[in-house]
Amino acid sequence: MHNIARLVMTILLIVVLGSGFRWLYLHRDQWMTSAPTQTAMMVPDAVWSVGLQDAGGREYALSSFKGKPVIMNFWATWCEPCREEMPEISALAAEHPEIAVLGLAIDEAAAVHEFAESTPVSYPLLIAENEGMPLAEQLGNTKGVLPYTVVISANGQVTHTFFGRVNRQMLQKALNLP
């Protein structure tokens, strides 16, 4: 009788834990993509001094984007929400060339190259590899999550940060676009 009770309790525990994890997974957007964090920090000089290559080997100095609004989207090829948000970010970038949009891949060059060939976007996909997460941390990614998006004003101030998937409306609002 004691073994049956133990078995029933074990099954009940598994069901309860499984249901909880399933609920968290299904509702991850609610706690990952909460309202944007508005910050008042300037982009550290160390961030502007970084140079990264795209999948084609072209070098981009982040300092070349100083003086204009910038969206930095930290992503990875293996990150489903990252891939899901890219078409909306790409459409925004195509409509607003006055805004620099950069995809910083926390990934290996080969994976980014393969992704870029199969899923073209209208903005540069830069390979940040191991340098990417420390860079994201300098820009406020205290949770270590992907995707992570930073909106930087033309004067170099981080105005908004987004943990998790973003959409076009969120970015338009952050940039005061119609």
Side-chain angles (χ1 to χ4, degrees):
M1 191 69 151
H2 189 325
N3 287 339
I4 292 174
R6 179 178 287 162
L7 179 62
V8 168
M9 291 301 289
T10 302
I11 291 171
L12 185 59
L13 179 62
I14 290 170
V15 168
V16 169
L17 286 175
S19 297
F21 285 123
R22 184 174 189 282
W23 183 89
L24 283 173
Y25 176 76
L26 292 174
H27 294 89
R28 69 190 179 278
D29 289 340
Q30 291 177 357
W31 53 273
M32 289 293 291
T33 314
S34 58
T37 305
Q38 293 194 358
T39 59
M41 72 177 240
M42 295 299 289
V43 173
D45 288 336
V47 171
W48 292 123
S49 69
V50 171
L52 300 170
Q53 289 186 351
D54 67 9
R58 180 177 171 200
E59 183 79 22
Y60 287 80
L62 295 185
S63 62
S64 67
F65 301 102
K66 280 178 126 176
K68 66 188 305 186
V70 178
I71 297 172
M72 284 190 194
N73 176 253
F74 292 85
W75 69 286
T77 59
W78 46 262
C79 169
E80 186 175 336
C82 299
R83 294 188 315 268
E84 289 172 354
E85 70 185 1
M86 288 179 127
E88 290 188 67
I89 296 172
S90 184
L92 180 75
E95 280 186 26
H96 294 280
E98 73 279 10
I99 298 169
V101 179
L102 306 171
L104 282 74
I106 314 299
D107 221 324
E108 296 178 357
V112 176
H113 180 70
E114 183 179 322
F115 179 85
E117 293 215 343
S118 66
T119 313
V121 295
S122 63
Y123 56 93
L125 299 177
L126 307 180
I127 302 162
E129 292 183 308
N130 297 334
E131 192 175 7
M133 286 311 285
L135 190 61
E137 287 173 18
Q138 290 181 57
L139 292 169
N141 189 350
T142 57
K143 299 179 183 181
V145 299
L146 293 177
Y148 177 69
T149 306
V150 181
V151 177
I152 302 169
S153 69
N155 68 0
Q157 185 176 18
V158 174
T159 60
H160 294 80
T161 58
F162 298 90
F163 295 96
R165 190 181 189 284
V166 295
N167 62 44
R168 184 182 183 137
Q169 292 76 26
M170 294 164 76
L171 295 172
Q172 286 173 315
K173 184 176 179 184
L175 292 159
N176 295 317
L177 297 173

